[in-house]
Every structure is written in C-alpha cells, then in structure tokens.
Amino acid sequence: MKPLGSSKKTVLQKLKKFRKQNQRYEDGKILCSMCTKPHPIAEKAYNMFLSTNLGDPGLFPGCVRLEEEVVDQLAMLLHGENCKGFIVSGGTEANLMALLAARNMTKISQPEVILPESAHFSLSKICRMLNLKPVYAALDSAFRVKVSAVEKSVTLNTVAIIGTAGTAELGAIDPIDGLAEIASKNNLYLHVDAAFGGLIIPFLPNPPKFDFNLTTVQSITVDPHKMGMAAIPAGGIIFRNNQAVDYLKTETPYLTDHYQHTFVGTRTGASVASAWAVFNHIGIEGYQKIVRDCMRNTAILSKGLTNAGFKLVTKPTLNIVAFSSQNTKTTAENLRKKGWFVSYIPRYDCIRVVVMPHVKKREVIAFLRDTC
Ligand code: 0PR
C-alpha cells in the first residue's frame, strides 16, 4: 500500500492486467476443474448481496431465510425431511462439520474413521485436525469401496464411516446402501461425501441409492459451487436432523445470534443468494439438461479416446474420463503444451478430464484432435 492511493482508473486497469493472467472457463481449455463459470443469474445475485454476513445473522435475516431455503431445496433433492444444514466455504468445511459432529457425539477417547482409499484429500486433512485415526478400506475393480473391507475395519473405536458419491479422481459412486447396512448393524454415523456427485446423481436417469432414502445416512456434503453453477464459496452440509447439529454449537454471546454452528465465522450471504438464484431459475429441468449435456460429451470423449487406442481406467459413471497411454505422463505434458489443462493422477498413472458445463462438444472434438 502506498501513502497516497491511485485513481479508480489506474486501479481498475491494473486489476485487468492481473485478471488477464488467469485462465477462463469460457475458453474451454480447463479440463481439470470441478468448478465452472457460475450461471449468469448467480453473478447478478452475488453482486446484490455482496456486503452481507451470515456470521451475524440478526443483521441479515433475509440471508438466513435464503440459506434455509437453499438447504431445504438440497434436502428435498436428497430425499430428506426436516433436515438441518448450512452453506459453507466448500466441501472441505462441509466434511469437517460432519466429522466434528460424529466425533463429538461419542465419548471414545481414540476415535477412528473408516474411509475409502479413494476418499478426497480434505478428509485426511480433517482427520489430522480433529485427531481422528483414518482407517482406509480397499476398493473393488470398479474403484468403489469394498463393503467387506469396511466391515472388517470396524472396531470399538470407530466413530464414523464415510462413503463417496462421485470420487474426485474417477467419479466412482461407492455402494452407499452396503455401507448403510454396516452403519445400522454397528450403530455408527454414516457420512456421504457427495460434494461433486450430489448435484449430478439426482438428475441421472437411473440414480443409484446414495442419500437420505437410506435411513442410516446421517449427513451429506453437496456443493453448489461445483456442478450447482453457484459462485464460490458455496459448499453444502445437510444433516438428517437437528441431533448432530447440536454437537456443533459454539457460544457467540455478544453477536445478534448467541450460537454459531459453522467453522467459518464471518461468511458471505452472496454465494448463498447465488445458489438460490440458480436453483429457482433453472429448476430441476435445467439441471437435468446440464447433466444430460455433460454426460453426452463424456460419452463422445470416452468413445473417441477408446477408438484411438487409449485405455480408460474405468467406464465413466459421472462426467469424468480417466485414460492412459503407453506413456501417460508425456501425453499429459504434450497436452499442456497445446494449452489444455488436464490433471495427471499418479495413483492410477492416468489423465483425468472433468467434463464440466463449460466443456462443450466443440472443445471435446478439439481435445480429441490434439490427443489422438
Ligand atoms: N469432496 C470431494 C469428493 C471433492 O471432489 C472435493 C473437491 C472436496 C470434497 C473438497 O471440496 P472444496 O475444494 O470445495 O473444499 N474437489 C475438487 C478436487 O480436489 C476441487 C477442485 C475444484 C479442484 C476446482 C480444482 C479445481 O480447479 O479435485
């Protein structure tokens, strides 16, 4: 900061230069992201609520109502009734809240959590923060957690089981119904990380069971800032009911509300408004169309890669294609030189493409041309 400020024009010109250094979703080259360009109405709604703070809810009752409505709409999609939840900073905070509640609900002194080997890295972060011992369960040939491996991992110290509905690396959906049975038999907390899949799976023609329809699912992470097309930061944590939420309470004696439940204190109402705007503007039909387009482009990409001799790691369940070649790392580097942003996944020695709404058919064809 300088002693004297600069003119508005200078500042904005400088900002434009910084902005130019960024990649833009609309250029269609970002194939490594689970976020996308927010829907135009999300941007408008965000700007309308720019100066709001859900950390002091008594000042912004309109935002409290918006958050309740967004949570109710997510809960409805996930077959929940009387759910309680929050729009938080992202999937990481959502998973953190679930595990914090699960841990606090028990009095176990050396708590353990059973996770699929494919669990998102946010969960290992959280285990370190909450002093939980992560116990990893092996995957089957379709990269879904083995229910038998989870069952064998249950001990007297287990406080929760986690399943993923849409893994970050391959988009695999764990057999949540199998996990629900184990949770029920052992009276354990079951959390589903559907940060990515939660706003895709309900819009597929024959969705597998993964949500509150399964009576032992206690909480679900579902992020509007991924496939929901809302503006960042909009993660979602939905609890089956108030029971777990009570274990998240922190006293905030001098604020307009005397309790807070989220990890983040000051938090914007703008992204909540952006999610509300998209949900209410495009509706279920809008999301069905987005998912249909993404899945169609996924099929075009998979077919093109297979025809050209690449090997798919697994048949895509969601809009993620993971493939390998004789020398995958070199293929990834060459693609990067041609301007494509893809992820190289060391664990499976594969390239991952996430076919988000900004990745149109035209981009898929161009990508195939550059790859094959
Ligand atoms: N759970 C799952 C299944 C996820 O895929 C992610 C993030 C999280 C939890 C954590 O969510 P937040 O990052 O919102 O806290 N998945 C993406 C990933 O790690 C996040 C991402 C998004 C990465 C955009 C890159 C990017 O450009 O791959």
Side-chain angles (χ1 to χ4, degrees):
M1 216 186 291
K2 293 183 202 154
L4 286 179
S6 313
S7 71
K8 198 160 89 181
K9 196 171 160 209
T10 312
V11 169
L12 291 176
Q13 266 170 356
K14 283 191 180 163
L15 279 179
K16 274 189 189 154
K17 273 195 193 154
F18 283 109
R19 190 171 59 173
K20 261 200 153 165
Q21 294 168 24
N22 295 340
Q23 296 301 317
R24 299 176 342 145
Y25 292 113
E26 48 270 53
D27 293 339
K29 295 279 188 182
I30 302 179
L31 309 184
C32 59
S33 176
M34 287 188 159
C35 294
T36 191
K37 189 173 167 57
H39 191 283
I41 203 162
E43 197 178 324
K44 282 214 167 84
Y46 197 97
N47 288 331
M48 280 173 73
F49 287 82
L50 197 60
S51 51
T52 61
N53 172 19
L54 273 162
D56 205 358
L59 299 181
F60 304 100
C63 287
V64 174
R65 193 69 210 114
L66 276 176
E67 186 179 33
E68 284 166 359
E69 290 201 10
V70 170
V71 166
D72 285 351
Q73 295 191 45
L74 286 171
M76 211 179 72
L77 267 184
L78 302 171
H79 301 104
E81 270 172 41
N82 305 316
C83 289
K84 179 89 184 128
F86 304 91
I87 300 305
V88 291
S89 56
T92 304
E93 190 185 352
N95 285 338
L96 173 74
M97 287 176 65
L99 281 188
L100 182 60
R103 191 200 65 178
N104 289 357
M105 284 167 89
T106 73
K107 297 234 173 328
I108 293 169
S109 59
Q110 289 178 313
E112 298 174 1
V113 175
I114 306 172
L115 309 155
E117 274 174 3
S118 53
H120 186 257
F121 57 78
S122 57
L123 289 154
S124 68
K125 235 188 236 182
I126 293 160
C127 285
R128 278 202 308 279
M129 288 172 74
L130 299 182
N131 215 5
L132 294 165
K133 180 179 163 197
V135 179
Y136 285 98
L139 309 182
D140 65 15
S141 58
F143 302 91
R144 296 151 32 109
V145 75
K146 275 189 193 156
V147 176
S148 58
V150 171
E151 189 151 32
K152 277 188 209 136
S153 307
V154 175
T155 71
L156 290 174
N157 287 332
T158 308
V159 296
I161 298 176
I162 312 262
T164 315
T167 59
E169 287 167 328
L170 301 175
I173 303 172
D174 287 327
I176 309 294
D177 48 357
L179 301 184
E181 268 180 41
I182 299 172
S184 162
K185 250 196 258 169
N186 297 278
N187 195 22
L188 289 170
Y189 188 105
L190 174 58
H191 172 67
V192 179
D193 181 357
F196 182 62
L199 279 162
I200 307 173
I201 302 167
F203 308 116
L204 291 173
N206 292 307
K209 278 195 177 167
F210 79 105
D211 61 20
F212 292 117
N213 255 338
L214 300 162
T215 52
T216 41
V217 169
Q218 294 306 318
S219 51
I220 303 179
T221 290
V222 48
D223 291 350
H225 74 196
K226 295 189 168 78
M227 281 294 286
M229 307 197 67
I232 296 170
I237 178 68
I238 314 294
F239 292 95
R240 173 176 289 278
N241 51 42
N242 229 349
Q243 203 195 340
V245 175
D246 281 342
Y247 290 85
L248 295 170
K249 245 182 188 177
T250 298
E251 275 191 50
T252 53
Y254 59 86
L255 300 187
T256 50
D257 216 353
H258 294 169
Y259 296 99
Q260 224 171 56
H261 296 87
T262 52
F263 176 65
V264 171
T266 301
R267 58 191 180 102
T268 184
S271 49
V272 177
S274 83
W276 190 95
V278 188
F279 289 3
N280 288 282
H281 179 54
I282 73 172
I284 291 185
E285 220 178 294
Y287 279 113
Q288 280 169 338
K289 184 181 178 326
I290 290 168
V291 168
R292 208 182 309 127
D293 287 352
C294 289
M295 293 309 291
R296 188 202 55 192
N297 290 336
T298 301
I300 296 172
L301 178 59
S302 313
K303 197 160 169 234
L305 289 167
T306 316
N307 287 347
F310 290 98
K311 198 171 160 290
L312 297 188
V313 177
T314 185
K315 190 169 172 283
T317 315
L318 301 180
N319 47 334
I320 297 182
V321 181
F323 65 98
S324 57
S325 63
Q326 298 287 18
N327 193 340
T328 311
K329 239 181 156 173
T330 313
T331 309
E333 279 158 16
N334 289 338
L335 284 168
R336 181 66 208 89
K337 280 182 202 145
K338 289 179 182 166
W340 298 101
F341 286 84
V342 290
S343 314
Y344 170 73
I345 300 186
R347 194 203 312 232
Y348 305 121
D349 185 34
C350 72
I351 292 168
R352 176 193 72 161
V353 172
V354 191
V355 189
M356 291 301 284
H358 61 266
V359 183
K360 308 279 183 220
K361 187 174 172 188
R362 186 183 34 192
E363 274 87 42
V364 170
I365 307 278
F367 178 77
L368 282 170
R369 210 180 303 122
D370 279 352
T371 313
C372 306

